[in-house]
Each structure stands twice: as structure tokens, then as C-alpha cells.
């Protein structure tokens, strides 16, 4: 109430309504009531006066009647007197009830009497004419007593008969009819002759108002100058006025009540009207403060409630529009900033869902390939989809809502949305193609203006998308070289910084290859700029194709940089790796380039700088690589050069090794040794493994673990591999000729060999050359490479298997393949790696692994060979686990072919136990 009254006071409307009420209701009531009171008063007084007048008249007439009676009696007496013999016989008070109090007979001739009388009668008393026969007139003496006067003629003497009416007879009972009123009689001289008793004192009050009076003239027509008496009556104030006062009081009370009722009703009305207005104005204030959520609550059941509801829906709409405006502004702002597709996706999923009040948003963004889309959904992980043109067209329904059933979505799309949902979907176009599709999902069909909002949202997003695309193009222009399409020096600078940071974390080494085309200027001069451009484009393409773990940038006219992160960390490894890369780059460029039917030959000089060995700083690395490139040019072009001395010498050393290897291959510096494989069932040799050795002219025997990686790194493995197979086949033929019953010769096959498409052909050729068969050999392939690369070369292996060659997995256990993964590959044997065998007698884990591996392999139909068995304890375990065969120093080191032949009949078990 307090709040309400304060708001009442504040409200001008309330005050105005109240004033209006006062003017239109209170004032008339008051005017009316006062007029009515006045009217009633005057009516009342008029009534009263009339009544008084009537009383006065009655009183007067009654008096007149009595006077007439007196006059008649007086006339009788006069006649008696005149007829009497002697005047002296005239008797005064003779009646029993005397009408007259005093009787005087005055002789007109007897002056004394008259004189005596004159003292009693006023001087202007006119004697009535004697003998006129008229009854006497009325005369009032000094005591204000009326007298009846008659002239008596007795004989010759004239007399005046004066009769004073008895007071009681004249006045008594006159006012009995109108008790409570006061009657007064005045003569013409306004002398009071009589006044009746009154129960009130008319003099004390305001006579005119409270005590109304009335007068009546009583004509006593005896003489020509008629005396006129006046009857005056004063009202019965108490009795009559009381009812008037009562009426007035009641009237005032009713007026007051009416006024109060009026005020009450007006307040109620004002309150009823003020409250909704107050609520509405509060609501408007909230809207002004941008609070759209809170609704106005008016339950008046009239137009105000209608107004409130309209206001609420307007407020909701306005809120939505404001929110939309905010979101759209947000989008526009993002467009102005650097916007990338990821931001837009984020925006659509979060803002869009809120803005469109959707249960879920699905946003399809077109990929690089036609009709491929990545679907980002507020509900699940992004998925890649291919969507046909037909389906795309069917998704375009701006400004409309469709049920999922209506749309008949293909299964890959219908999986995204819930059944029975409603969908808004619109395609965003760019240059005529669908660049994205926005799909908003609803459980209940949304309102029309939401759909309109969705349309404008889609428009904004479309602009944002094309803008982002434009940004991308700008970025590309700024960061990519127009001629070759390669990233330019700016992007290179960026990437180098990032790569350095990454290397710092991963401890990897980073190599910078600065590649400069030799004699580019002269090519340009000789063949023209178009040819130069063509050459650069071709070189760029070839370099980029070689990137592998690196990326190629065009940093100047004919200058390229390859940024490459090394796999190895040791300097030797880095040298081999980077040397190989540089060699590849060089070789690629050397291939002739076709230009308008001519062949252009070119070469490059390459400078290499290594992070962090050469420098920690990006600019220095580039500078150093550049310097190294100049040195390569100075050394005669078409070569590569390391910046740092230490790498240079390593490379020289490495180069030496490579040169030596080539020499070794050509000069027959390799030999094969053979290590027996002992069958644990028989205790005899079941075959052997060929193991290569390099008989270096200066360094003596070099282990394959040392030179095989070099051979592989320098692409010499295929040559060497062929040499091994051919040598083994040749040996087999020799043993056959010598009558040595040697089992299969196991040959280690590098993955480089198998990848070569001519592998099968080569093998077949050597078999043919030495008249060997498939079952003379076993090929050992390292687990990891075999499993990973199998599919690319399986045809050759299956062909070989058909010939009778068996395949074994070498170093089993060092990779990560489970046995079951090997199940579908052409494999006959697994060779358990030496690292497991080493600990088999001491470490329970190793022994458990070996035991279960053997069991599992056997269950799969594979035979098992254990490698590197050195002790009888290890052998005992392997026997216990029923391993098929073993290989190791316990029985024999790798030995020459001749030495091996002598072991053919050895019973190794006896020998082993005898050790
Ligand atoms: P691998 O195929 O696992 O060969 C077994 C290696 O273990 C051989 O070393 C062998 O001498 C050694 N070894 C055998 N028994 C024992 C033992 O009881 N104790 C110890 N400590 N070692 C034992 P090697 O001959 O030095 O060969 C090393 C690796 O070089 C081979 O491992 C194989 O991967 C590779 N390799 C050898 N010859 C060739 C070849 O002709 N071609 C190819 N591609 N690789 C070969
Ligand atoms: Ca082997
Ligand atoms: Ca092995």
C-alpha cells in the first residue's frame, strides 16, 4: 500500500483522474446538497409562515368573535339604559359571569365626571356620536386596557357607556389551539395589548431565522377611522425546526457518505488503472535498459491485460531483434577482423544456435573437392560427407520450415538429425556453388520471424564466408609466389620460427637447404623470360615433390629453400640424411626439362645450414645456408655444401664411405658367412642364414650393422641385395655340386629390395642361372617393414611363395604387430629376437612372453626359431617351450661356406651339452 500510495502521488495520471473526479462528482454533490438544503429550508420556512399565518388568522377571528359578542352585549346594555326610567338604576356588575370587568357611565353634561375621566382618557379620544345606534368603538386606555365605548341618550342627557371587557373572557383560551406558539396583539399605535404565555424565549435567538413570525390585521370596522389591531404569532421553533435539523443532519451524513464512497470508488478505479500503467511503464523502463527477458504481468481481465500481453510479445520480439542485431553485428565485426573459417564455424554453432533458438545447428562447409562437405554439428563430432547436387538442392529452403519426413533426407544426413524434428535449411552460395549449408533443427516449429531472422543470419554468414575466403586469397597472395605457387619468403620466415620452436621441444635437428639454380641468367638470356619462368616452375614442382618431411619455399628469383626436419639426431645420421636429400634435389633438377621442343639442362648449387648446430637464430641460419650455397658455386656448381666445418668433414668422411661402398660393390669386397639353424627335434642343422661381411681393404672386416644403413641411405641396397641373392644361389649350386646336403639358405631381404618391382624377376633370374628352386631358400624380412608395407608388394611375395620360398619374420617382438595381425600374410616362420632370448633364463617376463609366443605361433601353424642363443640355460628353456629351432653362438658363429659344410652332420645337442 505504501508503495502504491507513493506511486499514486508520483503519478500525474492518478492526480489528474482524482481531480477530474473531484470536479465532476464532489463539486456537484456539494453544490446540489447545499442547494437542496437551502431549498428545503426555504420550503420549510414558507410552510412554517403559512402555518403561522393561519394560526394568526384563527387567533384574530376568534378574538373578533369575542369582541363581536362583547359589542352585542354592550349594545344590549345601552338599549337597557336608554329604556330605563332612571339612570341611577343602572347597575354595574350584575351578571354571574360578568363579560366586563368594569363599567363606567359618564354623563356628557357632567363636566366633572368628564374631567375626572379625562385624566383617564387620552386627549385625542374622540367621543362617539351619541344616539347613532352604533355599538361603541374600541378604545385603549393608558393601562393598555381595551374599552368598548357607546353613546347613551337618556332623555335629554347624553352619556358615554364605557365597558372594559373581562380579561379572562377576552383573552383566555385564545391560543389553546396552537400551543407552543406565542401570540401578541398590538393596536394601531403598536402598543402591546396582549401576549400569550410562551415555552421559549423568542428574544434570545435569532428571531428571523429560528423563530419565524407572522402577522394578521384584525379590522374592527365600527368607525370610519377603523382601528386595526395586529395579531403577531411567533413560530413553534422547537418542534418544527427539530425535524428540519434532523433532516439536515441526515442529509449532511448522506452527502458525506456519498463523498466518501465517491473517493473510495475513484481511488479503487485509479488504483486499478494505475497498477497496469505502472507495470507497463516499469516494463518500458526495463526495455530501455535492454532487459527483455522479464515480462509484464497484468491480470486485470480488461484492455490493460490485452495491452500487457501485446506488450510482452512485443518485448520478446524486440529482445530477439536486439539479440539478432547484436549477433549480426558480432558477425560483421568478425568479418572486419581477420576471420578464418574456423571462427565462422564456431560462431555459427554457438551464436547461431542461441540466436535462432534451435535445438541443434548443423553447418556443412564445402571442402576443396566438389560435393565434399565437413559437417560441423552442435551435437556431435565433425564428419566428412559427400552430398550430391540433387540432395543439396533439396536442402535449400530459406524462410521455410520442413519436417524431417518431408525432406526425405538420405541416410547419411538423416543420421545427423533427430526424428520428428523440424528443419530450417538454406544453402550459402559463392560464385554459383554451394559453399555451405546451414541447418537449424527444432523440436517445435519456430515462428515466422525466427525464420526471417535465420535468413538474414544466413546472409551474414555467407558474406563472412566469402570474406574469409577472400582473406585466404589475400593471405595467399601475400604469402605465396604467383609464378610457382610455392610459399614465399614471408611465409618461410613464419614457418622457420615455428619450426625452430618445435625443434627446440622435440630435440630434432632442422636442416635449411638453400637451392640456387646455376647459370639461370644465361638461360634467361638465351631462351627468353618465358623459358626462364617455365624452368623455374618445373624446378619448383620437382623440388616440392621431393619435400617429404620438408617444405619448399621460393625465396628469390631463382632461389629456393627447403626446410627439413631430420629424423636422426647423431651427426653421422644427419649427414647421411641431409646428404641424401641434397643429392635427391640435385638429381631431380638435373633431369632435362622440355621447353617448346627443346631440352633445357640445368643444375643447382645447394648450401646447407643445421639448427641448432650452426645457429639458434632464424636469420643467421638462412644467411649461413646462403653462404654455403656460394661456396658450393665456388667449388664448381652442381653440388651441395654444408655451412659448418664439422659437417663438411663428416660429409667428406661420409662421402668417402659411399665412394668406398661403390668401390666395394664393384670390386667384390663383400663375402657371405653362414650360421647354422639347429633343429631342436633332431639336434642337427636344418639350414643356415647368410650374413654379409665387408672385407674393407684398409679397415678390415666391417659389420653389416655398420654399413647396411649407409647402403640403404645411398640407394645401393638393391644392388647389394641382388649380389647377396646371387651369391647365395651360387653357393647353393656349389654345395649341391659338392654333394653337401644343405637345407634352406635363409637370406636377409631389405624392404628396399622388396619394393622394387623387378625383385621377383631378379630372384627368378638367379634361380634360373644356378638352377635353384624356391625350396632351397628362405627370405627373412624385418617385422615392422613387412607388416606395414606388405600390401604394396604382396603379389611378388605370393608368387615367390608359390615357387616354394618360405618367409620368416625377423627380429620378431621388436615391432608392435600382434601375431594375429600376421595371420593373413604369407609367413611360415617367426624368429624370436635375441633381446628376448637374452633374458629368457633370468627374467620371468621375457620367458613368459617367449613361451606364449611359441604356443600362439604353433597354434597358428607357424614354426618358431630363436635367435642369439648363447647359453645352455637359454637352450633348456627353449627346449622346454618346444621351440622348433635355434640359432646362436652356443652352436656356431657365422662361418665360411666351407666351414659350414663340415657342420652338416654334427649333432649339435651333444656338442652343446658337452660345452
Ligand atoms: P639378423 O638377421 O638378426 O642376424 C643375426 C645376427 O645375430 C647376426 O649378426 C649374427 O652374427 C648375430 N648372432 C647370431 N647368434 C648370435 C649369438 O649367439 N650372440 C650374438 N651376440 N650374436 C649372434 P650380423 O651378422 O652382424 O648381422 C647383423 C644384421 O645385419 C642382421 O641381423 C641382418 O639384419 C643384417 N644383415 C646381415 N646380412 C645381411 C644381408 O645379406 N642382407 C641384409 N639385408 N641384411 C643383412
Ligand atoms: Ca636375419
Ligand atoms: Ca634377427
Amino acid at each position: 500500500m505504501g508503495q502504491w500510495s507513493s506511486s499514486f502521488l508520483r503519478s500525474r495520471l492518478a492526480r489528474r483522474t482524482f481531480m477530474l473526479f473531484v470536479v465532476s462528482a464532489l463539486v456537484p454533490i456539494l453544490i446540489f446538497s447545499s442547494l437542496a438544503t437551502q431549498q428545503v429550508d426555504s420550503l420549510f420556512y414558507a410552510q412554517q409562515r403559512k402555518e403561522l399565518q393561519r394560526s394568526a388568522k384563527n387567533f384574530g377571528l376568534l378574538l373578533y368573535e369575542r369582541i363581536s359578542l362583547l359589542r352585542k352585549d354592550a349594545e344590549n346594555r345601552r338599549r337597557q339604559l336608554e329604556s330605563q326610567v332612571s339612570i341611577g338604576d343602572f347597575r354595574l356588575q350584575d351578571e354571574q359571569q360578568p363579560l366586563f370587568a368594569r363599567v363606567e357611565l359618564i354623563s356628557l353634561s357632567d363636566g366633572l365626571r368628564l374631567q375626572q375621566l379625562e385624566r383617564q382618557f387620552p386627549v385625542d379620544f374622540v367621543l362617539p356620536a351619541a344616539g347613532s345606534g352604533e355599538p361603541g368603538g374600541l378604545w385603549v386606555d393608558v393601562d393598555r386596557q381595551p374599552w368598548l365605548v357607546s353613546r347613551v341618550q337618556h332623555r335629554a342627557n347624553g352619556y358615554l357607556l364605557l365597558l372594559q371587557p373581562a380579561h379572562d373572557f377576552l383573552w383566555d383560551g385564545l391560543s389553546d389551539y396552537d400551543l407552543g406558539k406565542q401570540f401578541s396583539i398590538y393596536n394601531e399605535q403598536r402598543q402591546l395589548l396582549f401576549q400569550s404565555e410562551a415555552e421559549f424565549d423568542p428574544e434570545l435567538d435569532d428571531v428571523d431565522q429560528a423563530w419565524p413570525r407572522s402577522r394578521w390585521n384584525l379590522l374592527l370596522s365600527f368607525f370610519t377611522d377603523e382601528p386595526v389591531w395586529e395579531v403577531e404569532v411567533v413560530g413553534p421553533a422547537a418542534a418544527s425546526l427539530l425535524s428540519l435539523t434532523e433532516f439536515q443532519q441526515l442529509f449532511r451524513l448522506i452527502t458525506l457518505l456519498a463523498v466518501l464512497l465517491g473517493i473510495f470508488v475513484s481511488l479503487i478505479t485509479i488504483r486499478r488503472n494505475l497498477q497496469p500503467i505502472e507495470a507497463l511503464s516499469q516494463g518500458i523502463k526495463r526495455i530501455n535498459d535492454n532487459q527483455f527477458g522479464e515480462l509484464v504481468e497484468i491480470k486485470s481481465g480488461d484492455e490493460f491485460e490485452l495491452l500487457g500481453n501485446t506488450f510482452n510479445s512485443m518485448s520478446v520480439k524486440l529482445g530477439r531483434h536486439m539479440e539478432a542485431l547484436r549477433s549480426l553485428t558480432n558477425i560483421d565485426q568478425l568479418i572486419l577482423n581477420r576471420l578464418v573459417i574456423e571462427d565462422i564455424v564456431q560462431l555459427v554453432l554457438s551464436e547461431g544456435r542461441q540466436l535462432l533458438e534451435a535445438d541443434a545447428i548443423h553447418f556443412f562447409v564445402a571442402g576443396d573437392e566438389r560435393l565434399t562437405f565437413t559437417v560441423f554439428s552442435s551435437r556431435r563430432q565433425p564428419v566428412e560427407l559427400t552430398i550430391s547436387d540433387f540432395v543439396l538442392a533439396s536442402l535449400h529452403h530459406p524462410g521455410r520450415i520442413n519436417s524431417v519426413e518431408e525432406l526425405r533426407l538420405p541416410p547419411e544426413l538423416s543420421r545427423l538429425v533427430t526424428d520428428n524434428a523440424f528443419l530450417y535449411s538454406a544453402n550459402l552460395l559463392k560464385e554459383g556453388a554451394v559453399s555451405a549449408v546451414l541447418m537449424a533443427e527444432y523440436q517445435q516449429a519456430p515462428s515466422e520471424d525466427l525464420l526471417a531472422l535465420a535468413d538474414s543470419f544466413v546472409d551474414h554468414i555467407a558474406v563472412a564466408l566469402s570474406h574469409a575466403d577472400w582473406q585466404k586469397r589475400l593471405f595467399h597472395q601475400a604469402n605465396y609466389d604467383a609464378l610457382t605457387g610455392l610459399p614465399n619468403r614471408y611465409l618461410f620466415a613464419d614457418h622457420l620460427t615455428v619450426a625452430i620452436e618445435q625443434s627446440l621441444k622435440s630435440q630434432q635437428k632442422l636442416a635449411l637447404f638453400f637451392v640456387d639454380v646455376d647459370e639461370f641468367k644465361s638461360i634467361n638470356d638465351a631462351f627468353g623470360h618465358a623459358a626462364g619462368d617455365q624452368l623455374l616452375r618445373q624446378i619448383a614442382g620437382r623440388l616440392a615433390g621431393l619435400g617429404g618431411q620438408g617444405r619448399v619455399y621460393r625465396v628469390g628469383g631463382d632461389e629456393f629453400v627447403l626446410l627439413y626436419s631430420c629424423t636422426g639426431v647423431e651427426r653421422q645420421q644427419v649427414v647421411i640424411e641431409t646428404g641424401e636429400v641434397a643429392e635427391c634435389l640435385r638429381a631431380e633438377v638435373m633431369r632435362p626439362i622440355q621447353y617448346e621442343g627443346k631440352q633445357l639442362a640445368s643444375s643447382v648449387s645447394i648450401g646447407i645450414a643445421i639448427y641448432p648446430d650452426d645457429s639458434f637464430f632464424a636469420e643467421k641460419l638462412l644467411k649461413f645456408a646462403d653462404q654455403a650455397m656460394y661456396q658450393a658455386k665456388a667449388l664448381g656448381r652442381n653440388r651441395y655444401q654444408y655451412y659448418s666445418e664439422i659437417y663438411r668433414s663428416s660429409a667428406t668422411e661420409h662421402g668417402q664411405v659411399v665412394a668406398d661402398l661403390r668401390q666395394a660393390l664393384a670390386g667384390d669386397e663383400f663375402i657371405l658367412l653362414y650360421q647354422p639353424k639347429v633343429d631342436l627335434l633332431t639336434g642337427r642343422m636344418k639350414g643356415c642364414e647368410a650374413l654379409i661381411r665387408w672385407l674393407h681393404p684398409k679397415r678390415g672386416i666391417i659389420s653389416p650393422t655398420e654399413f647396411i644403413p649407409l647402403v640403404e641411405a645411398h640407394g645401393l641396397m638393391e644392388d647389394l641385395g641382388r649380389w647377396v641373392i646371387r651369391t647365395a644361389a651360387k653357393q647353393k649350386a656349389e654345395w649341391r655340386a659338392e654333394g653337401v646336403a644343405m637345407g634352406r639358405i635363409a637370406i636377409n631381404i631389405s624392404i628396399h629390395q622388396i619394393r622394387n618391382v623387378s625383385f621377383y624377376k631378379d630372384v627368378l633370374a638367379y634361380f634360373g642361372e644356378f638352377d635353384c628352386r624356391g625350396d632351397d631358400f628362405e627370405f627373412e624380412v624385418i617385422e615392422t617393414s613387412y607388416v606395414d608395407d606388405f600390401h604394396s608388394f604382396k603379389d611378388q611375395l605370393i608368387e615367390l611363395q608359390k615357387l616354394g620360398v618360405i618367409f620368416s619374420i625377423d627380429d620378431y617382438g621388436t615391432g608392435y604387430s600382434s601375431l594375429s595381425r600376421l595371420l593373413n600374410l604369407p609367413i611360415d616362420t617367426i624368429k624370436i629376437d635375441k633381446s628376448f632370448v637374452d633374458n629368457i633364463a633370468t627374467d620371468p617376463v621375457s620367458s613368459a612372453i617367449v613361451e606364449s609366443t611359441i604356443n600362439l605361433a604353433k597354434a597358428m601353424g607357424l614354426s618358431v626359431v630363436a635367435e642369439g642363443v648363447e647359453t645352455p640355460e637359454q637352450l633348456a628353456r627353449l627346449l622346454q617351450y618346444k621351440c622348433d629351432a635355434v640359432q646362436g653362438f652356443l652352436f656356431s658363429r657365422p662361418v665360411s661356406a666351407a666351414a659350414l659344410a663340415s657342420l652338416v652332420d654334427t649333432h649339435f645337442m651333444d656338442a652343446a651339452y658337452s660345452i
Side-chain angles (χ1 to χ4, degrees), residues 689 691 748 780 810-811 831 867 887:
E689 178 178 359
L691 295 160
N748 291 289
E780 295 187 5
D810 209 351
D811 301 349
K831 293 186 75 176
E867 292 186 297
Q887 210 182 322

Side-chain angles (χ1 to χ4, degrees), residues 672 675 689-693 703-705 708 717 724 748-750 753 780 810-811 834 867-870 888-889 894:
L672 286 183
Q675 187 179 32
E689 178 178 359
L691 295 160
I692 196 165
R693 297 291 179 267
S703 156
T705 47
I708 291 279
M717 195 59 232
V724 173
N748 291 289
I749 307 287
S750 158
Q753 293 171 264
E780 295 187 5
D810 209 351
D811 301 349
K834 181 174 182 298
E867 292 186 297
V869 180
E870 291 179 341
F889 292 173

Side-chain angles (χ1 to χ4, degrees), residues 317-365:
K317 242 185 240 180
L318 203 63
R320 192 181 290 150
H321 281 297
M322 292 300 287
E323 180 66 16
L325 213 60
R326 193 186 60 71
S327 276
L328 297 181
T329 316
N330 228 354
I331 298 169
D332 291 344
Q333 206 144 36
L334 278 172
I335 294 173
L336 288 179
N337 296 332
R338 284 186 76 177
L339 188 63
V340 289
I341 306 282
E342 288 75 20
D343 292 341
I344 297 176
V345 169
Q346 195 53 40
L347 191 99
V348 169
L349 291 190
S350 58
E351 293 269 340
R353 188 167 156 230
Q354 224 183 355
L355 179 68
L356 306 184
E357 297 173 19
D359 293 296
I361 292 273
H362 312 286
F363 191 47
F364 303 53
V365 180

Side-chain angles (χ1 to χ4, degrees), residues 444-696:
Q444 249 127 35
S447 63
E448 285 292 323
D449 49 300
L450 256 188
L451 295 181
L453 183 59
D455 284 350
S456 84
F457 183 69
V458 163
D459 289 346
H460 275 75
I461 294 300
V463 172
L465 269 183
S466 63
H467 193 83
D469 224 64
W470 180 66
Q471 288 272 13
K472 203 161 120 187
R473 226 176 303 160
L474 271 190
F475 177 78
H476 203 270
Q477 270 170 22
N479 292 280
Y480 287 80
D481 168 45
L483 178 68
T484 59
L486 289 178
N488 64 17
R489 62 184 311 131
Y490 302 114
L491 203 56
F492 165 71
D494 280 358
H495 287 186
L496 180 57
T497 322
V498 174
I500 284 177
E501 277 167 24
Q502 279 173 352
S503 300
L504 199 63
K505 275 187 218 136
S506 65
Q507 299 284 312
Q508 265 181 320
K509 294 203 173 177
L510 206 58
L512 230 76
F513 297 78
F514 200 105
V515 183
D516 190 282
V517 181
D518 295 331
E519 309 284 357
F520 179 66
K521 203 175 165 300
S522 45
I523 293 176
N524 241 354
D525 293 347
F527 299 95
H529 281 279
D533 285 354
Q534 176 68 12
L535 180 73
L536 286 177
R537 260 199 296 271
Q538 295 260 342
I539 291 176
R542 290 180 188 179
L543 295 183
L546 284 178
Q549 295 171 68
R551 193 161 181 188
V552 180
Y553 304 81
R554 185 180 178 209
V555 295
D558 61 344
E559 294 165 342
F560 302 89
V561 169
L562 170 68
L563 188 59
Y564 179 92
S565 37
C566 303
T567 8
V569 184
E570 295 298 313
R571 193 191 334 133
Q572 196 57 44
Q573 290 168 308
V574 173
V575 164
I576 295 172
E577 210 177 332
T578 52
E580 195 183 348
V581 170
E583 211 36 70
C584 280
L585 292 175
R586 201 178 63 83
E588 270 304 310
V589 177
M590 292 264 284
R591 276 170 38 222
I593 286 165
Q594 302 291 330
Y595 179 70
E596 293 183 340
K598 290 174 284 244
Q599 280 205 349
L600 303 180
S602 67
S603 64
V604 286
S605 299
I606 302 169
I608 306 172
I610 310 281
Y611 168 90
D613 304 35
D614 294 345
S615 173
F616 287 106
F617 304 107
E619 307 88 66
K620 284 213 167 150
L621 284 171
L622 186 64
K623 194 175 133 200
F624 291 165
D626 192 20
Q627 285 177 8
M629 183 273 292
Y630 274 105
Q631 289 191 348
K633 293 236 180 207
L635 287 171
R637 302 194 183 89
N638 194 13
R639 68 189 64 217
Y640 65 89
Q641 180 75 339
Y642 289 92
Y643 169 74
S644 68
E645 201 49 54
I646 190 144
Y647 271 99
R648 234 176 257 177
S649 58
S650 296
T652 318
E653 194 181 307
H654 171 66
Q656 190 59 52
V657 173
V658 175
D660 285 358
L661 272 176
R662 289 182 197 278
Q663 171 66 36
L665 255 175
D668 224 6
E669 289 178 10
F670 296 105
I671 56 153
L672 286 183
L673 296 184
Y674 301 89
Q675 187 179 32
K677 287 183 182 179
V678 179
D679 189 328
L680 289 187
L681 269 182
T682 60
R684 287 170 189 275
M685 182 159 67
K686 64 180 273 193
C688 63
E689 178 178 359
L691 295 160
I692 196 165
R693 297 291 179 267
W694 182 6
L695 302 176
H696 197 276

